[in-house]
Each structure stands twice: as C-alpha cells, then as structure tokens.
C-alpha cells in the first residue's frame, strides 16, 4: 500500500500559495509566507499525535482534560530550502528537536548529493517530519528518508509546499510507509526538472541568492 498524500484543502493555504508563486513577491514576504504555510501544514500533519489526560483545576471545578502524550518529535529540514519551514513547525511543536540533512541537486543529472547530516542522537526513537518546500523528481526527499531509515527511524512524514506528480510517485514507490503533506500538487516538471507552474527555485527565493 502507498503512503497517503494529504493536500491542504483550505482557502488560507490556497491564498498564501498564490503569493508564493508570484515572481514579484519580495524575499521578505516570501520567507514569511513559507513559514506561515509550514505552520498550517504542521497543524494538519500532527492531527494523529497521541493524547492522554490529566487532572486540572479550572476556576470553576476540577476536571480531567486532554494533554499531549509527549511523544518525541523531530523536524529534519533538507538544506538549504527546508530551513525556511522550520520556524513554522516549531510554532506548533516548540519542543521538537532539529536534525539537518544537506543536499543539492546536480543541475545536469538532477541526482541529489548529500553534503551534511547531523541528527539528534536519539533520532530513531522520534517521530520525524522531513521538510522541504519542493518535491520535484523526489530524488532529494527519497535520499533523505533513506538516510533516516538507515539510522533506525521508523515513523517518518514528509512535508512540502509544492509537489509534482513525479515526486509523489517516487516517494510512494520507494517509501510506501511515508505520508506526504503538501500545500498543493502541480501539473508536471519541465525539461530542467522545475515544477510547473511552481514557484521557481525555493532556496534562491527564500535566501535571495539570485
Ligand atoms: C531544491 C529543493 C529540494 C530539491 C527538490 O533544492 O529545495 O531539496 O531541489 O528537487 P528533487 O525533488 O528533484 O530532488 P536544491 O537542490 O535546489 O538545493 P537548495 O535547497 O540548496 O537550493
Ligand atoms: N527545486 C526548486 O527549488 N524548485 C523546483 O521547481 C524544483 C526543484
């Protein structure tokens, strides 16, 4: 069975994604909106976090009320562009640990190359959310998830802003246990491996490098 694809079905996300697509959006606003959409997707992606109950005294009476079970959680951005999503995740899950996987896509072959990997020591005990704004061919996310599995991770989700059908298929084939949460699914990839209509190069737009 393939992992599920959860496409955000919310007017706020739809509106913000359009701001991200607009090539005239400034670096400042782009960065802010990436973080906001990251927060909104995290809200959806954490729907299944386990709850327990605790006793509390309200100003009116004592009661038993739900509280997070405190399952260990980690967010792992794929550098560089994934960094833009971390703040949004932390707004929702402030105690999350953070791992980093550095990858760049060869512009000719589109194959990912890993140049950095630093993860929390107990990563294998944590629920992991891999974050990257773009799922294009899926090569980078596939390799990042494989790296995490090699280090013993068993519960992994993938969060992206934009996904191409090609990238979704690659993740579903390689990692059928991983659910994908995304802001929108686009039409296809162009001959350079960019998502169409897309939003361009996410890293360049977040960091203002072009
Ligand atoms: C972009 C993006 C993803 C990758 C997606 O990163 O942030 O990591 O491309 O493409 P794929 O699905 O075909 O692998 P890039 O390699 O441009 O590096 P950057 O984040 O440093 O800009
Ligand atoms: N990486 C990006 O930043 N944008 C794309 O459209 C594809 C890969």
């Amino acid at each position: 069975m393939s992992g599920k694809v959860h496409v955000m079905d919310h007017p706020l996300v739809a509106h913000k994604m359009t701001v991200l697509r607009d090539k005239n959006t400034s670096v400042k606003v782009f960065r802010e909106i990436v973080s906001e959409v990251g927060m909104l997707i995290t809200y959806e992606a954490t729907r299944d976090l386990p709850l327990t109950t605790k006793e509390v005294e309200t100003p009116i009476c004592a009661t038993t009320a739900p509280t997070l079970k405190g399952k260990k959680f980690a967010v792992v951005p794929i550098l560089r562009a994934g960094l833009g999503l971390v703040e949004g995740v932390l707004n929702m899950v402030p105690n999350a640990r953070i791992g980093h996987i550095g990858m760049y896509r060869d512009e000719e072959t589109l194959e990912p190359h890993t140049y950095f990997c630093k993860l929390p020591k107990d990563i294998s005990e944590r629920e992991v959310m891999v974050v990257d704004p773009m799922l294009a061919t899926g090569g980078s996310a596939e390799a990042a998830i494989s790296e995490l599995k090699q280090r013993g991770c068993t519960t992994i989700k993938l969060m992206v802003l934009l996904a191409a059908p090609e990238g979704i298929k690659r993740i579903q084939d390689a990692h059928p246990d991983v659910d994908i949460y995304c802001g929108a699914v686009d039409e296809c990839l162009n001959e350079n491996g960019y998502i169409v209509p897309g939003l361009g190069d996410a890293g360049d737009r977040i960091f203002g490098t072009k």
Side-chain angles (χ1 to χ4, degrees):
M1 212 176 70
S2 306
K4 283 201 193 113
V5 182
H6 306 259
V7 186
M8 295 309 106
D9 174 23
H10 195 290
L12 287 179
V13 174
H15 177 87
K16 289 174 194 292
M17 291 301 298
T18 301
V19 177
L20 293 178
R21 291 183 191 282
D22 187 340
K23 68 176 185 183
N24 294 315
T25 296
S26 69
V27 169
K28 174 180 180 287
V29 171
F30 190 89
R31 213 179 271 152
E32 287 167 357
I33 304 267
V34 165
S35 184
E36 286 174 11
V37 179
M39 185 175 79
L40 294 170
I41 302 179
T42 305
Y43 178 77
E44 277 304 314
T46 50
R47 233 173 223 294
D48 58 355
L49 280 185
L51 288 171
T52 181
T53 54
K54 69 185 248 188
E55 305 300 312
V56 287
E57 293 241 359
T58 76
I60 309 299
C61 66
T63 187
T64 305
T67 183
L68 284 173
K69 216 168 186 172
K71 196 161 187 311
K72 292 171 155 189
F73 191 86
V75 55
V76 177
I78 301 178
L79 307 181
R80 203 178 33 136
L83 286 174
L85 288 162
V86 172
E87 187 192 334
V89 177
L90 293 179
N91 283 341
M92 290 282 106
V93 194
N95 283 321
R97 299 296 188 265
I98 307 174
H100 295 88
I101 297 187
M103 262 175 197
Y104 71 90
R105 211 170 63 139
D106 184 292
E107 285 183 7
E108 304 271 297
T109 65
L110 302 183
E111 282 306 307
H113 294 274
T114 307
Y115 60 85
F116 186 75
C117 184
K118 181 78 181 171
L119 301 168
K121 235 193 225 144
D122 59 354
I123 190 76
S124 64
E125 295 162 28
R126 292 183 178 271
E127 183 165 320
V128 179
M129 177 117 82
V130 176
V131 300
D132 191 328
M134 309 303 272
L135 181 67
T137 66
S140 305
E142 182 194 343
I145 293 167
S146 295
E147 179 74 44
L148 288 163
K149 286 186 174 174
Q150 270 167 30
R151 291 169 185 244
C153 299
T154 53
T155 312
I156 302 173
K157 290 174 178 168
L158 172 64
M159 183 216 282
V160 300
L161 297 182
L162 264 187
E166 294 89 333
I168 290 174
K169 180 168 185 325
R170 186 155 173 179
I171 298 301
Q172 287 183 323
D173 289 348
H175 300 297
D177 55 315
V178 173
D179 280 5
I180 302 170
Y181 294 82
C182 59
V185 178
D186 271 10
E187 288 161 25
C188 58
L189 298 177
N190 70 13
E191 62 282 7
N192 299 317
Y194 277 84
I195 297 178
V196 180
L199 51 76
D201 187 305
D204 282 338
R205 296 199 63 191
I206 290 169
F207 296 107
T209 41
K210 210 165 237 174

